[in-house]
Amino acid sequence: MATFSGSETVKLIVPDVEAPQLTFGRKICFAIGGATSALTNTVIAFFLPIFLLEVAEVAPLYVSVIVFSGRVWDAITDPMIGYLCSRTHSKRWGQLRPWLFFSIAPMAATYIGLWLVPSFSNVGSKVVYYLCMYCGFQTALSAYHVPYTALTMHLSTKSKERDSATAYRMTTELACTLLAAIVQGVILSAMVTKPECIDGDEAKPWLRDERFAYMIASFAITVPAVCAGLVAFFGVREQQGISLPKPLSLLNGLKFVMRCRPYIYLTMFFLFAWLGTQVVASNISLYIEYVMELRGKFQNFIIVLLVSLLMKLELLFLNSRVLVL
C-alpha cells in the first residue's frame, strides 16, 4: 500500500503469489511486440526530417513545425490513451489486448502515408497533409504502445517473471532499432544515387527514384511491424486474478502522481535525456548532409553510430555483471 498526503490510498504493488510460470514462448511473443514501435520510431527519428526537406521539398520552417507538432501531440495522446485503457473492459480479450489489435491498421496506414509525396501544388496543403499523417501515426502508435507496455503488469503475478519479460522486450527493441536503420539505409543506398555536388537551381533527376525508394522502405518496415503487433496480440494473454487498483479520475491521478517526489525526479531525468536524444536523432542526418557535405552517406553513418552504441551498452552490461560478481 502507498499513501500520500490527502485521503487517497492506492494499492501499487501486485502481490507476488503462487501462479503458473510464464512460458518462454509467451515471453518471446511479448518481446516481439516491442518491435512495432522500435522499427517505426527509429526510422522516423533519423530519416523523417531529411525526407521532408529533400524528397517532399517542404520548406525548413514547415519541417520544424511538422516535427515539433508531432512530438507535442505524442505527449498529449499518451496520458489520454492510458486514461481510456484503464476504463476498457472486454470479457473475451481483456483490458489491454483490444487496443493492440485495433491500433495496428491505422498505425500502418498513417506510417505508409507519411512517406508518400502528395501531388499538391499548394504548400499549405502539403504541410497539412504531413501534419495529419504524423499526428495520426503518433495517435495510433500511442494506442498500441501505451497498453503494450502496461501489459507487463498483466503477464504474471510474479515480479521475477515480469522482470524477465521486460528484459526480453528491451533486448528485442535494441535489436530492432539497429535492424530498422540497416533496412532503411540499405534500400535508400541501393536505389538512389546522388551526385557529390548539387546546384540548388538544377533539376533533380534522381528525385523520382528517391521517392520510390522511401515508399518501398516504408512497406519494408510496416510489414514486420504489423506482424510483430499481431504476434503480441495472439501470443500474449492477460493473467487472470490480478487485483489492480480502481482507476482514479484523470485529475485525481495527476494529483496523486505529483505527490510522489521520486517519480517526478525520475520523470524529469528521462524527459531531458529523451529531449537530447531526439534533438540529435532529428538533426544528425541534416548535419551529415549539409555541414559535413557527405551527400547520400548519412545512412551508413547512422548504422555505424547505432552499432557503436549497442556495443557500448553491451560493454556496460558486462561490466556491471563483473562488478556484481
Side-chain angles (χ1 to χ4, degrees), residues 55-56 61 90 139 141-142 144 146 166 196 203 220 235 243 250 254 271 301 311 316:
V55 182
L61 174 62
S90 173
T139 303
L141 185 63
S142 294
Y144 174 88
V146 170
T166 301
E196 294 294 333
S243 178
L250 183 59
L254 290 175
L271 173 63
F301 188 91
M311 291 177 63
L316 290 174

Side-chain angles (χ1 to χ4, degrees), residues 2 41 112 144 187 192 276 281:
N41 272 333
I112 293 175
Y144 174 88
I187 293 176
V192 181

Side-chain angles (χ1 to χ4, degrees), residues 4 20-23 29 51 79 100 116 122 228 258 267 319:
F4 297 96
Q21 186 175 3
L22 198 61
T23 64
C29 290
F51 166 80
L100 270 63
L116 301 178
N122 186 284
M258 295 304 293
T267 301
N319 185 49

Side-chain angles (χ1 to χ4, degrees), residues 24-55:
F24 175 75
R26 191 64 57 84
K27 293 178 183 178
I28 291 296
C29 290
F30 174 72
I32 290 175
T36 300
S37 58
L39 290 170
T40 53
N41 272 333
T42 299
V43 175
I44 286 177
F46 286 109
F47 293 89
L48 182 61
I50 199 167
F51 166 80
L52 293 175
L53 188 63
E54 289 192 346
V55 182

Side-chain angles (χ1 to χ4, degrees), residues 1-37:
M1 306 284 287
T3 307
F4 297 96
S5 57
S7 58
E8 296 93 340
T9 300
V10 180
K11 187 177 181 181
L12 294 178
I13 302 176
V14 177
D16 199 0
V17 298
E18 290 296 328
Q21 186 175 3
L22 198 61
T23 64
F24 175 75
R26 191 64 57 84
K27 293 178 183 178
I28 291 296
C29 290
F30 174 72
I32 290 175
T36 300
S37 58

Side-chain angles (χ1 to χ4, degrees), residues 46-250:
F46 286 109
F47 293 89
L48 182 61
I50 199 167
F51 166 80
L52 293 175
L53 188 63
E54 289 192 346
V55 182
E57 298 183 306
V58 177
L61 174 62
Y62 296 127
V63 172
S64 301
V65 170
I66 293 170
V67 174
F68 178 76
S69 300
R71 299 298 185 188
V72 172
W73 183 249
D74 181 37
I76 295 174
T77 55
D78 280 356
M80 291 176 57
I81 296 298
Y83 177 79
L84 294 174
C85 286
S86 64
R87 280 155 176 76
T88 301
H89 301 284
S90 173
K91 293 183 179 180
R92 180 180 179 183
W93 288 352
Q95 183 181 19
L96 302 173
R97 290 176 65 243
W99 286 88
L100 270 63
F101 183 77
F102 290 107
S103 63
I104 291 176
M107 180 176 57
T110 51
Y111 180 81
I112 293 175
L114 189 61
W115 302 102
L116 301 178
V117 180
S119 57
F120 296 146
S121 58
N122 186 284
V123 176
S125 300
K126 186 179 291 188
V127 172
V128 171
Y129 170 82
Y130 284 114
L131 272 174
C132 292
M133 287 295 106
Y134 195 22
C135 292
F137 170 78
Q138 293 290 7
T139 303
L141 185 63
S142 294
Y144 174 88
H145 193 64
V146 170
Y148 169 74
T149 52
L151 190 59
T152 306
M153 296 301 296
H154 293 254
L155 293 176
S156 174
T157 57
K158 293 184 177 182
S159 59
K160 184 178 180 180
E161 293 295 323
R162 297 194 298 269
D163 293 342
S164 176
T166 301
Y168 278 78
R169 174 178 66 84
M170 295 181 67
T171 302
T172 302
E173 289 177 349
L174 286 174
C176 288
T177 297
L178 178 59
L179 178 63
I182 292 176
V183 170
Q184 186 85 3
V186 168
I187 293 176
L188 296 182
S189 299
M191 299 183 64
V192 181
T193 303
K194 290 183 180 180
E196 294 294 333
C197 184
I198 301 175
D199 187 352
D201 296 328
E202 69 175 337
K204 300 176 181 178
W206 66 87
L207 190 57
R208 178 177 296 180
D209 293 337
E210 196 167 9
R211 291 177 177 177
F212 183 70
Y214 270 100
M215 184 184 67
I216 295 299
S218 70
F219 282 97
I221 295 297
T222 300
V223 170
V226 169
C227 292
L230 293 176
V231 168
F233 172 76
F234 289 106
V236 178
R237 293 291 183 272
E238 297 179 28
Q239 182 71 40
Q240 300 297 322
I242 296 180
S243 178
L244 296 176
K246 183 180 178 180
L248 300 174
S249 66
L250 183 59

